[in-house]
Amino acid sequence: MKRIFFVLSTLSLLGLLQWGVTTLLLDGPIRQGPYYYQILILAGINIVLAVSLNLTNGIAGQFSIGHAGFFAVGAYMAASVSYYAGPAIRGLVGFLPLAGQDAAVLLLALAAAALATALAGLLVGIPSLRLRGDYLAIVTLGFGEIIRVLILNIDAVGGARGFSGIPKLSNFFWVYLLVAAVIATVGNLLRSSYGRAFIAIRENEIAAQAMGIDVTRHKVLAFVISSMFAGMAGCLFGHYTMYLHTNSFTFVKSFEIIIMIAIGGLGSIEGAVLGAVLLTVLPEAFRGFESYRMIIYSLALILIMIYRPQGILGQASVLKRLGARMAARRSAQGNVPVTAPAADGGNGG
Amino acid sequence: MLTLSHVSTRYGSIQALTDVSLEVEKGSVATLIGANGAGKSTALRSIMGLCQPHAGEILFEGRKLNKIPTHRIAAMGIALVPEGRAVFANLTVLENLELGGYLQRDGKRLRLDIDHVYEVFPRLKERMAQMAGTLSGGEQQMLAIGRALMAHPRLLLLDEPSLGLAPLMVHAIFDAVDRINREGATVLLVEQNANLALKRSRKAYVLETGRIIMQGDSADLAKDPRVQEAYLGE
């Protein structure tokens, strides 16, 4: 009941925001409105990418550097669905108003993207996550490039020309709905026994195994969920830009997402959100510096890493949450008074 | 309860265990002593499924352990306290214990188990909100053992619990192991500190370059001149 209420209020809040953002930025008085709108959308997509990658890299401690590959699989899969099957889907739900038909096409494309990337995650994850060490990094890097070259050679999705003619179905509402979904999913996982297992695996794989945790299963699970959200982000990206080209999905994009979570603080959801927003907004904010823009941007990143090597938020937030949970349990047990240090314990980590 | 018969394990081309046979009786404390690199840890790792023997058979309560993945061996009632303690450094003491009870789905039981660990190691209760990485070596060893206890193991495998600890702390740890044994867990102890291990166990095996070269009652082995010369420094 509480959950239904929560979902409904999130949906209506997003609807309200969608209306506000559209009237203000797209139809409204602000001169550069559409430009700000685009930054808002890209920030949302980057948040989904960063929070999902953080599940693998930050929380479960498995280093993946192929997130852009899954982003690409999702984007092209979804675009193919709406491009080739879109009219048929519209025919099936012809009784709906236009907005409803749009939603039906987008949801099907989203589902196809999620399915395809979850499958891809499984195929990449099972062989490489059984092994300990850097195999995942190597395999995912290779996967990202293979996918890119593969797409470049599939004529049905435009190949080197790029995939154009994708209907514009995605907007603020859908992007931030996905943002809410990924934050809720990763946040809930983190609080469940799965989350504890992920953290145990990150901290010490042998000890985790000896405690009865099925290490491979949990690693693959984290990786598949992470890939799936990257794919869904790809779907919304393609249906916003209406054009896809493999140049958006090189390993540079993967590294950009890694930088987002490193800047924000590995393992922290808030950190991933902050990192994604910063890395979307900063390059835009520095446009005033014209040709010095990228120099200043790089300098800003270097300075952050020098003064906050653990990321802006570090792991403080995750551990704080765990600390708070623990304090609550202790006070419920009633044997030790709850004191503040329990909540601050994470600052060292 | 635990039987190894003719077990051989190798890492790549390096033979770590050769034809090792041993038996741990239910309710007893058995020890495996030997010098550095004798294969003691490998023996525990083989039992726990962390490495696979290429020959021989490992039986626990009549069930074959070969080729069973580690997490399922843990679920069968064997707990390992790894060498070097391997606590989850960035988690608190309490969270470490909770993870030790990972297989316990009943929250109430979990809390009772945690209380039991605090009773065995009162120091852990004082430190429960502290990051495990900030504990002293002895406290980390207590935590590692406490974490293993959370799984209610019928067989507890201890890998060098005395390593790097002050003598006073070593005795506290071994007193706790005695208690755990009296409360019903069978213990297989791997130690470099042969003197201590022979005093605290019933049966002992001496391992040298991967082979068992001597075995018998701990009290007898402690008197054996060869053991005294090689391991007890007399």
Side-chain angles (χ1 to χ4, degrees):
Chain A
M1 194 59 212
K2 214 170 147 191
R3 191 165 289 173
I4 295 169
F5 176 73
F6 183 73
V7 170
L8 283 179
S9 52
T10 307
L11 281 175
S12 42
L13 178 69
L14 279 173
L16 202 68
L17 279 174
Q18 159 74 20
W19 173 79
V21 165
T22 312
T23 42
L24 213 65
L25 296 179
L26 290 185
D27 317 323
I30 299 172
R31 198 161 55 88
Q32 287 193 314
Y35 168 62
Y36 293 128
Y37 185 80
Q38 176 164 331
I39 295 175
L40 211 57
I41 297 282
L42 293 180
I45 284 166
N46 281 334
I47 291 174
V48 177
L49 289 173
V51 172
S52 61
L53 184 68
N54 200 23
L55 180 62
T56 306
N57 288 31
I59 295 167
Q62 308 301 311
F63 208 72
S64 159
I65 39 183
H67 218 44
F70 295 102
F71 187 41
V73 169
Y76 276 90
M77 183 71 203
S80 314
V81 167
S82 61
Y83 185 82
Y84 290 109
I89 298 165
R90 277 178 202 281
L92 277 175
V93 293
F95 53 90
L96 288 174
L98 200 60
Q101 294 181 14
D102 282 353
V105 174
L106 184 66
L107 282 174
L108 268 175
L110 205 56
L115 210 66
T117 41
L119 203 68
L122 210 60
L123 285 176
V124 174
I126 287 179
S128 49
L129 287 167
R130 291 168 71 92
L131 303 163
R132 210 170 301 143
D134 303 327
Y135 296 99
L136 185 69
I138 298 162
V139 172
T140 48
L141 182 66
F143 167 77
E145 287 305 290
I146 290 169
I147 283 296
R148 198 175 58 83
V149 173
L150 209 64
I151 292 171
L152 212 49
N153 287 293
I154 299 177
D155 204 49
V157 295
R161 277 174 284 120
F163 196 161
S164 49
I166 306 165
K168 187 158 196 156
L169 299 175
S170 150
N171 57 25
F172 177 90
F173 175 81
W174 290 109
V175 169
Y176 281 85
L177 186 63
L178 189 61
V179 167
V182 73
I183 291 175
T185 307
V186 176
N188 279 328
L189 268 178
L190 203 53
R191 277 186 291 274
S192 71
S193 73
Y194 287 105
R196 283 197 272 159
F198 292 153
I199 292 171
I201 291 167
R202 178 189 72 198
E203 294 287 315
N204 190 315
E205 223 167 274
I206 289 181
Q209 261 176 305
M211 235 135 278
I213 295 170
D214 186 342
V215 168
T216 305
R217 200 175 78 94
H218 281 87
K219 285 199 283 193
V220 170
L221 182 73
F223 188 65
V224 165
I225 294 173
S226 167
S227 315
M228 199 180 78
F229 275 108
M232 292 199 278
C235 165
L236 295 185
F237 175 73
H239 286 93
Y240 176 75
T241 57
M242 306 188 324
Y243 173 75
L244 291 173
H245 194 277
T246 49
N247 283 352
S248 321
F249 306 101
T250 59
F251 69 90
V252 176
K253 181 66 187 175
S254 295
F255 280 102
E256 201 184 302
I257 309 165
I258 292 172
I259 294 171
M260 286 172 195
I261 57 179
I263 289 273
L266 266 180
S268 139
I269 296 175
E270 296 91 322
V273 173
L274 184 70
V277 172
L278 268 184
L279 257 75
T280 317
V281 172
L282 274 189
E284 301 298 332
F286 290 152
R287 270 191 198 280
F289 297 104
E290 293 181 0
S291 46
Y292 299 107
R293 181 168 80 106
M294 288 326 276
I295 298 177
I296 292 174
Y297 170 66
S298 313
L299 209 62
L301 295 186
I302 291 169
L303 286 176
I304 293 174
M305 281 291 99
I306 289 175
Y307 290 104
R308 290 290 295 178
Q310 70 277 48
I312 294 172
L313 293 181
Q315 286 202 350
S317 47
V318 181
L319 294 174
K320 248 181 204 158
R321 198 177 304 128
L322 287 171
R325 187 190 64 176
M326 206 176 63
R329 182 173 305 159
R330 239 179 313 144
S331 65
Q333 262 177 306
N335 35 22
V336 175
V338 180
T339 45
D344 291 333
N347 291 338
Chain B
M1 175 178 229
L2 177 77
T3 315
L4 273 68
S5 43
H6 309 291
V7 170
S8 298
T9 304
R10 59 184 167 215
Y11 299 111
S13 60
I14 298 160
Q15 191 79 23
L17 290 181
T18 312
D19 200 24
V20 168
S21 298
L22 60 81
E23 192 162 358
V24 182
E25 270 172 57
K26 192 171 169 59
S28 72
V29 176
T31 189
L32 201 56
I33 58 177
N36 225 344
K40 306 185 300 289
S41 296
T42 306
L44 293 193
R45 291 172 58 88
S46 302
I47 296 167
M48 204 64 208
L50 290 164
C51 50
Q52 284 305 326
H54 66 271
E57 204 177 47
I58 303 174
L59 289 173
F60 174 65
E61 295 176 335
R63 291 156 80 188
K64 201 171 163 185
L65 294 187
N66 303 49
K67 302 226 167 79
I68 293 182
T70 304
H71 65 273
R72 291 210 8 238
I73 293 178
M76 286 164 74
I78 305 183
L80 168 72
V81 178
E83 189 178 6
R85 306 183 271 272
V87 295
F88 301 124
N90 290 317
L91 299 181
T92 65
V93 168
L94 181 59
E95 285 159 7
N96 267 272
L97 294 179
E98 285 177 353
L99 275 167
Y102 177 77
L103 295 169
Q104 176 64 267
R105 296 287 164 189
D106 179 351
K108 214 173 212 168
R109 290 281 305 277
L110 190 75
R111 228 152 297 151
L112 287 175
D113 291 344
I114 291 173
D115 284 341
H116 176 246
V117 171
Y118 286 159
E119 205 192 310
V120 178
F121 298 112
R123 188 78 69 90
L124 293 182
K125 188 170 183 179
E126 295 164 25
R127 300 265 188 262
M128 66 175 153
Q130 206 170 311
M131 294 290 137
T134 66
L135 298 178
S136 76
E139 289 165 348
Q140 288 191 19
Q141 188 65 62
M142 290 175 175
L143 179 56
I145 296 173
R147 190 181 59 182
L149 279 188
M150 290 293 297
H152 292 282
R154 292 193 296 286
L155 174 65
L156 183 64
L157 307 175
L158 289 167
D159 198 350
E160 303 259 11
S162 77
L163 195 73
L165 300 187
L168 211 63
M169 193 54 97
V170 171
H171 282 285
I173 299 276
F174 274 85
D175 288 345
V177 171
D178 277 347
R179 174 180 172 165
I180 291 161
N181 176 241
R182 279 199 309 276
E183 286 176 0
T186 307
V187 177
L188 176 58
L189 170 69
V190 153
E191 262 295 345
Q192 259 188 67
N193 185 340
N195 202 357
L196 190 67
L198 290 176
K199 263 186 209 151
R200 300 284 191 149
S201 59
R202 190 189 302 167
K203 212 169 171 196
Y205 295 85
V206 181
L207 207 56
E208 202 175 278
T209 56
R211 291 172 191 276
I212 289 192
I213 54 161
M214 264 183 272
Q215 63 183 75
D217 286 347
S218 301
D220 297 340
L221 276 183
K223 283 184 223 137
D224 191 298
R226 287 170 299 171
V227 174
Q228 285 183 344
E229 194 188 337
Y231 301 104
L232 301 178
E234 282 171 33

